[in-house]
Amino acid sequence: MTGSAGPVPRLDAVELKATFSGARAEVAAKALASDDGGVWCQVFFCEGPRHRHPGELPLLEAGVILRLRSRQGKKGDTTAKLRPCRRARVPAHWLDFHRHGDDELRLESDWAGERQVLAASLTRTRDRQDIDAVTSGHRPLHTAFSAAQERFLADCADLAVDFRELTVYGPVRAQRWRDVRRRHHELTVERWSVTPRTGPPLDWLEVSERVEPEGSEVIRASLLALLRQLGLEPDLDHESKTRRVLEALTRDA
């Protein structure tokens, strides 16, 4: 008798990523980004209090990323992300959660270079004015995040998150182009720039494509071949841009 393999673990998508930094970012932008300027936004991150020891990033070290994004226009969003995410740490009721109201949970594999990392992101759509009120200091940080996001962190994160103890860092200036079509690929192109008070400016361009898990290896190979044919060589160092940005922003605090 053949035993059952059991249910397939939830995986909503695989996000293929290729990153270009410095001069490579400018070359990639000219090859992939349209002339319409894309959509501008400001990105902020939360981390430990300012009185922490220099170089400490307690949330990031615990795999917790808290992001606020204020987009061009009226919309924004906040994201509570676990990366890497351990499935064993996520209760069944969260694995069954998809969308409720303005909250949406995604379980995805981030694939950059040779590394794949499971990420769980609970994102809440917000009005831009709500995000701006928090990042300007006119409202407490916790008001930008939903009750569901707070429960998600309490249930799934490896450390307790107290919004009263956190500091908002940023902004990162970002420019985003969606639905960039190159052959049979539908890409998102996003460029980040940060000018810290100390240290050199940072400039990245990230190309990403969200695909179904089945067959993602073939699509990844095709995407890398496309980039090579365009004369684009992604960075070999796939250190998280979130880490590099937070290190630069918190260094100035």
Side-chain angles (χ1 to χ4, degrees), residues 116-205:
Q116 291 192 67
V117 179
L118 182 65
S121 304
L122 185 58
T123 297
R124 170 81 168 186
T125 303
R126 305 297 304 238
D127 288 336
R128 178 180 175 178
Q129 62 184 11
D130 295 332
I131 304 295
D132 292 344
V134 169
T135 56
S136 63
H138 290 94
R139 290 186 191 173
L141 174 59
H142 74 87
T143 64
F145 290 85
S146 69
Q149 287 173 313
E150 293 194 43
R151 291 195 304 271
F152 174 68
L153 293 170
D155 290 345
C156 307
D158 284 337
L159 83 169
V161 177
D162 186 345
F163 285 93
R164 295 170 300 180
E165 294 294 321
L166 300 182
T167 301
V168 178
Y169 295 95
V172 177
R173 184 172 171 81
Q175 194 174 7
R176 194 180 199 195
W177 296 263
R178 300 194 67 174
D179 303 326
V180 176
R181 296 183 181 276
R182 292 293 185 273
R183 297 181 187 169
H184 54 277
H185 293 277
E186 190 170 302
L187 309 174
T188 296
V189 178
E190 188 165 7
R191 190 169 186 178
W192 285 20
S193 58
V194 184
T195 306
R197 289 196 296 270
T198 58
L202 305 177
D203 186 19
W204 287 276
L205 184 136

Side-chain angles (χ1 to χ4, degrees), residues 39-53:
V39 175
W40 288 96
C41 61
Q42 291 186 319
V43 182
F44 298 81
F45 293 95
C46 307
E47 251 302 341
R50 293 182 185 273
H51 58 264
R52 77 203 186 294
H53 294 297

